[in-house]
Amino acid sequence: MYTQDPDYASYPDITRRADKEQLEQLTTLLKSADLSAQANSLRPGHTSNILIPTDTRDYLKGGMNVILPLTFDDGVKWVARVRQKRFDEPPVEKRKILVASEVESLRVMKEAGLQVPAVYFSSDQAPDLNYYFLDFVGGTPAAAPLTEHDNPSQIPTIIRSFAQFQIALSELTFPFIGSLHPSPSGGGERIVGPLCDRYIKQGRLFQHKPVLSYLAHLEIKEMVVNFDGWGEEDVFYLKHADDKGDHLMIDPKGNITNVIDWEWAYITSKAEAFAAPCAFSSVVEYCDQGRATLCDLEHLLMKDYQDLGRPDLADCVKEGKKYQFLNDLVGEEPQMVLMDGLRETFSKERKKFAMEQEWEEWAKKVFSEDQGLKDLLKKA
């Protein structure tokens, strides 16, 4: 029998209060940092003014960052993208690595002529802050997901424009899988460094569902390792890590003007890099039903790739559903519906468990000899 937490109704207020306190702390740091002076040093001969809200409700922010508008004396506009102060933020050294990697990804794409904002960065960061500057870009963000876009007539143009961007991105290749980082020597050379590790059995992730989370990842690992359709690759590609739709800035006709929010971007296989973005998935078919078949927008993207002379990228969309499920399951909380969808993409039977407990008991039997599971059960 389950009962509701008596303080449940107060959770939204607690969250809002915590968010306000974190933004107040950030405001204090920003006012003492003098970001305008640093922007001026990156654009010699000009002075700038940055707008820091006095009311925390006026911040333009996403899940991880705030955006501060900055205007120079000649009318040129930048924005400062500043990492929020959050209770779950990684250590300061890791935050520096994340920012440097995002900056390097943007620089590489801009040098290749891709539609991304120009980036300006100094490693001499103000204490306790992580940030960089970008050209202000016009346009409005598309909907996340695209199926909820408020002007459906723009959707075909958005998808065609996205296909053109991805084709241009496919010209940018790398020799390894990983994340882009600047050269430690400070030279112009870029390096492909490691991705972040995640830990479950050590108790660093999923502390309230450690056993089920570990079992889910064991099953995912088994499917991936035993799949014989991966193929051999020696060329790799850059992928956006948060492609839910609002990373696409569009003009009134639906043409993409810029692609933004490249935090956590990584280099991966062609098949994963050019699978359809989650922005094009149907919420009902994918999230609610875990369907492994392509939806209408994904079929439209395939057709655009074919019409633009890239049937190879159309094939990536056709076979790419497994990457969407893997992206939403690996390193995340276990989800029964999505797990069934992943099983289907690997030609496995959908289990259709009614309860998580039923799933957990089944998986315990399947992986009963796994030493990590035995160790975890001793701690549970």
Side-chain angles (χ1 to χ4, degrees):
M1 179 178 179
Y2 296 91
T3 59
Q4 189 178 56
D5 185 331
D7 294 327
Y8 179 81
S10 67
Y11 284 179
D13 290 335
I14 294 171
T15 301
R16 281 192 292 269
R17 188 161 59 248
D19 188 48
K20 182 174 183 292
E21 290 172 356
Q22 290 163 8
L23 287 173
E24 287 173 345
Q25 179 187 5
L26 180 64
T27 301
T28 300
L29 292 170
L30 287 169
K31 287 181 176 179
S32 63
D34 197 2
L35 266 61
S36 286
Q38 189 163 87
N40 299 344
S41 70
L42 293 169
R43 196 165 182 256
H46 295 278
T47 58
S48 63
N49 179 57
I50 191 166
L51 181 60
I52 300 173
T54 56
D55 189 327
T56 58
R57 292 172 296 183
D58 293 334
Y59 271 102
L60 177 61
K61 68 185 188 74
M64 303 300 295
N65 301 278
V66 299
I67 302 297
L68 303 174
L70 182 148
T71 305
F72 285 94
D73 51 9
D74 60 352
V76 169
K77 294 182 179 181
W78 286 4
V79 296
R81 181 174 165 93
V82 185
R83 185 89 177 192
Q84 291 184 51
K85 307 300 293 183
R86 292 166 50 105
F87 74 93
D88 58 349
E89 64 184 357
V92 62
E93 289 305 315
K94 185 172 182 180
R95 294 200 305 271
K96 290 180 180 178
I97 292 171
L98 292 174
V99 169
S101 178
E102 183 176 4
V103 166
E104 206 61 31
S105 298
L106 284 164
R107 283 176 172 166
V108 168
M109 288 185 288
K110 193 66 178 179
E111 289 170 8
L114 288 158
Q115 294 167 293
V116 298
V119 61
Y120 311 93
F121 175 72
S122 171
S123 58
D124 183 22
Q125 299 269 289
D128 297 320
L129 286 173
N130 299 100
Y131 56 91
Y132 59 87
F133 302 98
L134 293 160
D135 276 344
F136 173 83
V137 296
T140 57
L146 197 57
T147 50
E148 298 180 5
H149 195 65
D150 59 6
N151 187 350
S153 66
Q154 291 180 332
I155 291 178
T157 303
I158 295 172
I159 294 177
R160 171 59 70 104
S161 189
F162 175 78
Q164 292 168 333
F165 177 87
Q166 290 292 91
I167 288 171
L169 185 60
S170 73
E171 299 300 316
L172 201 56
T173 61
F174 305 88
F176 308 107
I177 286 176
S179 298
L180 275 173
H181 299 277
S183 170
S185 65
E189 178 188 5
R190 275 81 183 226
I191 61 173
V192 179
L195 295 166
C196 297
D197 291 325
R198 299 175 182 269
Y199 300 92
I200 302 175
K201 64 182 180 182
Q202 290 93 333
R204 302 185 193 181
L205 287 176
F206 316 123
Q207 295 183 18
H208 70 295
K209 286 184 183 178
V211 174
L212 180 57
S213 298
Y214 183 71
L215 288 166
H217 283 78
L218 278 181
E219 186 180 354
I220 293 169
K221 178 182 177 181
E222 182 181 68
M223 285 188 279
V224 170
V225 169
N226 292 333
F227 182 62
D228 59 5
W230 295 120
E232 295 290 334
E233 297 188 45
D234 54 10
V235 176
F236 304 95
Y237 302 84
L238 190 63
K239 177 174 174 55
H240 198 288
D242 192 21
D243 52 6
K244 59 185 183 295
D246 54 3
H247 66 304
L248 305 175
M249 302 297 290
I250 60 172
D251 66 17
K253 294 183 179 179
N255 296 297
I256 293 174
T257 59
N258 267 274
V259 182
I260 61 173
D261 294 344
W262 288 88
E263 190 171 19
W264 297 99
Y266 59 99
I267 297 163
T268 185
S269 66
K270 181 178 181 179
E272 181 181 6
F274 297 101
C278 64
F280 294 1
S281 294
S282 162
V283 173
V284 173
E285 294 177 7
Y286 178 77
C287 298
D288 298 344
Q289 301 172 358
R291 288 178 57 177
T293 53
L294 298 179
C295 70
D296 292 344
L297 300 190
E298 291 166 326
H299 280 293
L300 187 56
L301 178 60
M302 282 184 61
K303 184 178 184 303
D304 281 337
Y305 279 140
Q306 290 164 343
D307 291 345
L308 292 167
R310 291 301 300 268
D312 57 320
L313 299 187
D315 287 341
C316 291
V317 176
K318 181 180 179 181
E319 303 298 331
K321 210 68 181 178
K322 61 173 61 67
Y323 294 103
Q324 292 179 0
F325 286 113
L326 286 169
N327 181 66
D328 288 329
L329 287 166
V330 175
E332 304 294 342
E333 296 281 357
Q335 300 180 61
M336 290 191 297
V337 171
L338 296 186
M339 196 68 173
D340 261 344
L342 181 65
R343 292 183 183 111
E344 186 175 336
T345 66
F346 283 102
S347 301
K348 302 289 185 180
E349 178 187 0
R350 297 175 73 97
K351 299 300 181 184
K352 300 180 181 179
F353 294 121
M355 301 285 290
E356 286 187 347
Q357 184 176 359
E358 183 184 357
W359 178 12
E360 184 173 318
E361 292 306 315
W362 169 83
K364 281 179 181 177
K365 295 176 183 177
V366 173
F367 299 105
S368 60
E369 297 305 312
D370 180 81
Q371 187 58 49
L373 175 61
K374 293 177 181 178
D375 295 341
L376 197 57
L377 289 173
K378 290 177 183 177
K379 300 176 184 178

